[in-house]
Amino acid sequence: MLNTIINNTEIRMKKCVDVFENHMKKVHTGRASSHLLDSIQIEYYGSLTPLYQLANVVVEDSCTLAITVFDPNLVPIIGKAIMKSALGLNPVCTGIVIRVPLPSLTEERRRNLIKFVRTEAEQSRISIRNIRRNANEKIKMLLKEKNIDINEDRHFQNKIQTLTDTWIKNLDNSLAKKEADLIKV
């Protein structure tokens, strides 16, 4: 029972860090990344479909993405979807290829992105702490029901705290990498 709690806690904490890292892939750092457009959804035959299922997105050079659309009828629709997105990009449609030039980042924009990244990291830390709290509550419940003794309670709460410290450190490392990418010119 206690090992199950520990394993589930670790899995959930890892997912928090993974979600943070996936969000950070979408933050524009001045270099082109095909993951930048992962959040764009296109209406295709009545359902919303991710862009990467309808087109091939590649990095053409350090500041340009090239999107090769599988269905030529979708080129204007995809172009409009990219323009309407919150990414602030202006695609150029040429035949079945859409080129998306990425604007260079200003110093003010970099500072705003760093604030955003730090806010996202803090939200992930809060999630990890909530997972720790839930696991500790489950262990306390077992102690209250006399399924474990006080020594086991302390031992497993220490294990959960160690897991929490480890995953917050991993999160902080990811944050530091992203901040370094944003600071680079």
Side-chain angles (χ1 to χ4, degrees):
M1 180 70 168
L2 290 170
N3 289 328
T4 305
I5 293 171
I6 296 291
N7 291 337
N8 288 342
T9 301
E10 184 168 19
I11 290 168
R12 291 178 64 205
M13 287 180 179
K14 182 183 182 324
K15 283 183 184 177
C16 285
V17 174
D18 290 344
V19 166
F20 171 76
E21 289 173 347
N22 285 335
H23 282 297
M24 292 306 101
K25 287 179 185 175
K26 297 172 188 159
V27 174
H28 172 52
T29 60
R31 289 189 307 271
S33 169
S34 60
H35 295 291
L36 189 63
L37 303 176
D38 283 351
S39 62
I40 295 180
Q41 302 275 324
I42 311 297
E43 182 149 344
Y44 187 62
Y45 287 112
S47 65
L48 288 177
T49 308
L51 175 63
Y52 62 84
Q53 291 181 0
L54 302 173
N56 187 19
V57 181
V58 295
V59 177
E60 195 170 61
D61 59 42
S62 65
C63 60
T64 307
L65 292 174
I67 304 166
T68 306
V69 182
F70 303 138
D71 182 359
N73 297 327
L74 289 176
V75 171
I77 297 169
I78 291 174
K80 286 178 186 175
I82 293 171
M83 268 195 245
K84 289 180 181 178
S85 71
L87 299 172
L89 301 174
N90 291 317
V92 178
C93 301
T94 56
I96 62 168
V97 177
I98 302 171
R99 287 191 172 67
V100 183
L102 301 176
S104 60
L105 294 175
T106 63
E107 189 63 32
E108 180 182 350
R109 178 75 176 139
R110 287 179 196 274
R111 277 190 249 121
N112 288 340
L113 286 173
I114 288 173
K115 285 180 188 176
F116 171 76
V117 167
R118 287 179 180 165
T119 302
E120 289 289 318
E122 186 57 34
Q123 291 300 320
S124 295
R125 283 188 206 102
I126 290 169
S127 296
I128 290 172
R129 291 183 199 120
N130 286 339
I131 292 167
R132 175 190 62 194
R133 187 192 71 232
N134 292 340
N136 284 339
E137 286 173 358
K138 289 177 185 175
I139 292 172
K140 287 288 184 192
M141 190 63 86
L142 290 173
L143 177 64
K144 187 176 178 182
E145 294 171 354
K146 304 209 186 266
N147 291 336
I148 60 173
D149 62 22
I150 190 78
N151 291 330
E152 287 177 310
D153 174 57
R154 287 188 190 132
H155 173 71
F156 281 99
Q157 284 195 18
N158 287 338
K159 273 188 167 183
I160 288 173
Q161 184 59 46
T162 303
L163 280 175
T164 304
D165 295 341
T166 301
W167 286 108
I168 286 180
K169 184 177 179 181
N170 290 345
L171 182 78
D172 290 341
N173 290 339
S174 295
L175 173 64
K177 287 178 189 174
K178 193 61 175 186
E179 284 181 341
D181 283 347
L182 287 169
I183 292 172
K184 288 181 186 175
V185 176

